Amino acid sequence: MKLFSFLLIILILAGCGFRPLYKQSSNVSTAFVLEVKGNNEEAYGTYKFKKELTPLIAHINNPAIHKISISLSENFGDIGYAADASALRSQGRVVALIEIYDANRQLIYQNKVDSISSYTTDILEEFSNLNAKMATRERLMVSLAQSVARDIQILNSGSLLPRLEH
């Protein structure tokens, strides 16, 4: 009876389109090498940026593009102060240096793109300050990935890159 119940549950789950909750999605393959470098202290930010960027540029299939190299740098600091010199507002800035190389390893395009956001801080609430900083970093990486993808797509669709015919 237990075996019958188990098989019935499996059939029902398979019939309703059951998908495992924590299954990793398949990797998106690209026609070029994508290299994203960042600081080890902000390793999650680098990972998040690459994860957001990859599907946005995966459809680019220009033979002139062999490698896209992106270097990230992050800066966070206080920008607003109270009368007692305690920080009231902080700001984060992430800069991406985009370099695109052809098959001969020649640099064919270079640009800097940045994203800036700020958040409120409270001197007494360390946990909420850390949460605000992490949420800001997340927003910055998503926004920067979209900006970088737009920059690369404009470059790819325009006449800035040579289109090689095979």
Side-chain angles (χ1 to χ4, degrees):
M1 189 62 162
K2 289 181 182 180
L3 180 62
F4 177 73
S5 299
F6 178 71
L7 290 174
L8 184 63
I9 289 172
I10 297 259
L11 287 173
I12 290 171
L13 288 176
C16 72
F18 171 76
R19 290 182 298 169
L21 182 61
Y22 296 111
K23 181 181 177 188
Q24 295 288 336
S25 61
S26 63
N27 291 337
V28 179
S29 64
T30 57
F32 51 85
V33 176
L34 176 62
E35 176 185 73
V36 179
K37 297 178 275 184
N39 191 332
N40 279 344
E41 294 173 11
E42 291 88 21
Y44 174 73
T46 305
Y47 163 78
K48 178 69 177 172
F49 174 82
K50 186 172 183 179
K51 184 177 178 193
E52 291 292 326
L53 179 66
T54 302
L56 296 174
I57 62 172
H59 68 281
I60 294 174
N61 191 14
N62 186 332
I65 298 176
H66 178 69
K67 178 181 176 183
I68 298 176
S69 178
I70 301 172
S71 300
L72 299 176
S73 61
E74 295 182 33
N75 293 345
F76 281 85
D78 299 330
I79 59 170
Y81 298 93
D84 65 350
S86 60
L88 294 177
R89 193 136 189 92
S90 293
Q91 175 176 287
R93 179 177 187 228
V94 182
V95 178
L97 174 63
I98 307 165
E99 296 177 332
I100 299 180
Y101 297 91
D102 64 8
N104 298 325
R105 297 185 183 165
Q106 296 294 316
L107 182 65
I108 56 175
Y109 179 75
Q110 184 175 23
N111 193 19
K112 275 189 180 181
V113 179
D114 69 344
S115 187
I116 300 171
S117 184
S118 62
Y119 56 97
T120 304
T121 59
D122 183 359
I123 193 75
L124 301 176
E125 295 291 332
E126 184 177 342
F127 181 73
S128 65
N129 291 343
L130 182 59
N131 262 351
K133 182 177 181 179
M134 290 170 56
T136 300
R137 176 177 282 133
E138 189 99 2
R139 265 193 326 271
L140 286 170
M141 291 304 169
V142 170
S143 172
L144 187 64
Q146 292 169 350
S147 296
V148 167
R150 194 170 23 258
D151 191 54
I152 293 170
Q153 288 168 355
I154 289 170
L155 173 73
N156 185 53
S157 66
S159 61
L160 298 174
L161 285 181
R163 299 224 178 246
L164 303 176
E165 299 298 326
H166 288 269

